Amino acid sequence: MPHIYRCALELMEPTFFSSREVSAIYQTEPLIGNYALAYAFGFCQAPYRTAGSPRYREDLGGLNQRGLYVTPATIQGAPRFTVGEFNAQTDTYWYAMGNNLLVTRPDGAWAEGAMGAWYIIERPGEKGRKLGVENRPQHGRIRYLALGNVALCYVISEQDITIPRYIRLGKFMSKARVTAEPVAFELVHAENVTIGFLLNPADLPAELAMTFWDTINVPPTPLIKNLRCSGACYRIDRDRYLPARMAFGV
């Protein structure tokens, strides 16, 4: 039988994930995805440099082989947010606005625009180095999960493991305190039970009969809540269940 740990995550700093982007507003939804948690707990690590594509299949697939899984984290109670503003524009003496590009120049060089493109020229007579477009925001407002929010997730492992006491989360590596405790459970065949906390539908076993649920569309994969289902489950409290045999569906 696996080991199941209930983990309470207390946010010690405002935490930002870009769950939704509308114009110049970048919003964090009141949840923490399980892919992010797998990396934050240190269960897997991405290399410092990548080819630019997500490595979920390589990194999370390795956790499936180890029999290690973590659920998404559900905010407890009413979520609280903090709204801030950012300005990522340069503070250099000279700059220019190009097409999807903020043009700056190194010391001793100069910049020239031609036919909608910009070039950095370091020596007289040379054509110069063409600047590429940058698809990143220059300014806007962001909505964080506020300090003090508490989120709950479960870690299921074939082996007895140590859960770190502190982790870093989100775009700005915000600190969160982790309180983990092992959970007593029994494997049962549940009939028409409701699982109120967040789950990743891509990770559920095919034999689980799902009746209805609420979908939350967030990247990189939608999550579901209030799932009504029947099938093999771990009963972790009198009326609280976890689907058995969950694994990262990458």
Side-chain angles (χ1 to χ4, degrees):
M1 295 289 280
H3 300 264
I4 299 179
Y5 305 87
R6 180 187 291 114
C7 299
L9 314 177
E10 180 183 358
L11 303 186
M12 303 184 71
E13 295 176 305
T15 302
F16 173 69
F17 293 95
S18 186
S19 309
R20 205 170 306 282
E21 300 179 358
V22 181
S23 186
I25 300 176
Y26 303 85
Q27 302 182 41
T28 306
E29 291 297 305
L31 54 88
I32 303 173
N34 60 333
Y35 290 6
L37 285 172
Y39 288 99
F41 278 125
F43 297 151
C44 58
Q45 290 184 330
Y48 189 76
R49 293 184 181 276
T50 69
S53 300
R55 288 176 43 89
Y56 299 137
R57 182 167 297 173
E58 295 89 340
D59 298 338
L60 303 178
L63 298 185
N64 290 339
Q65 297 176 4
R66 293 165 51 191
L68 182 56
Y69 181 75
V70 55
T71 69
T74 306
I75 299 294
Q76 303 299 288
R80 289 174 289 113
F81 299 97
T82 300
V83 176
E85 190 168 357
F86 70 92
N87 182 352
Q89 295 188 24
T90 180
D91 58 356
T92 59
Y93 179 74
W94 180 92
Y95 69 90
M97 299 296 295
N99 184 17
N100 289 328
L101 173 66
L102 187 64
V103 182
T104 61
R105 60 191 181 192
D107 291 341
W110 68 94
E112 290 186 3
M115 304 294 289
W118 281 85
Y119 298 84
I120 297 297
I121 301 172
E122 299 186 0
R123 298 178 184 83
E126 70 178 14
K127 181 179 179 181
R129 172 171 53 88
K130 184 180 179 181
L131 297 177
V133 298
E134 297 179 355
N135 185 23
R136 62 182 175 87
Q138 304 297 337
H139 61 85
R141 291 186 174 185
I142 53 181
R143 186 179 76 170
Y144 305 85
L145 280 170
L147 180 153
N149 275 302
V150 176
L152 196 67
C153 69
Y154 291 89
V155 175
I156 304 169
S157 173
E158 294 294 333
Q159 305 294 326
D160 187 15
I161 59 172
T162 300
I163 308 289
R165 294 181 59 193
Y166 295 93
I167 59 176
R168 296 280 180 177
L169 290 169
K171 177 72 172 177
F172 304 119
M173 302 293 284
S174 303
K175 190 174 184 179
R177 176 162 45 213
V178 182
T179 303
E181 58 176 348
V183 175
F185 65 94
E186 61 177 332
L187 180 62
V188 300
H189 182 86
E191 286 288 346
N192 289 321
V193 296
T194 299
I195 300 175
F197 43 84
L198 289 166
L199 297 170
N200 188 330
D203 303 342
L204 296 175
E207 60 270 22
L208 187 72
M210 302 167 58
T211 306
F212 55 82
W213 59 88
D214 300 325
T215 301
I216 304 171
N217 286 311
V218 291
T221 176
L223 302 179
I224 60 174
K225 194 174 183 181
N226 299 322
L227 170 65
R228 189 77 172 173
C229 63
S230 299
C233 290
Y234 301 122
R235 182 159 58 193
I236 53 179
D237 279 320
R238 190 176 66 176
D239 56 353
R240 179 168 292 199
Y241 298 83
L242 270 176
R245 294 188 285 278
M246 287 189 288
F248 293 103
V250 292

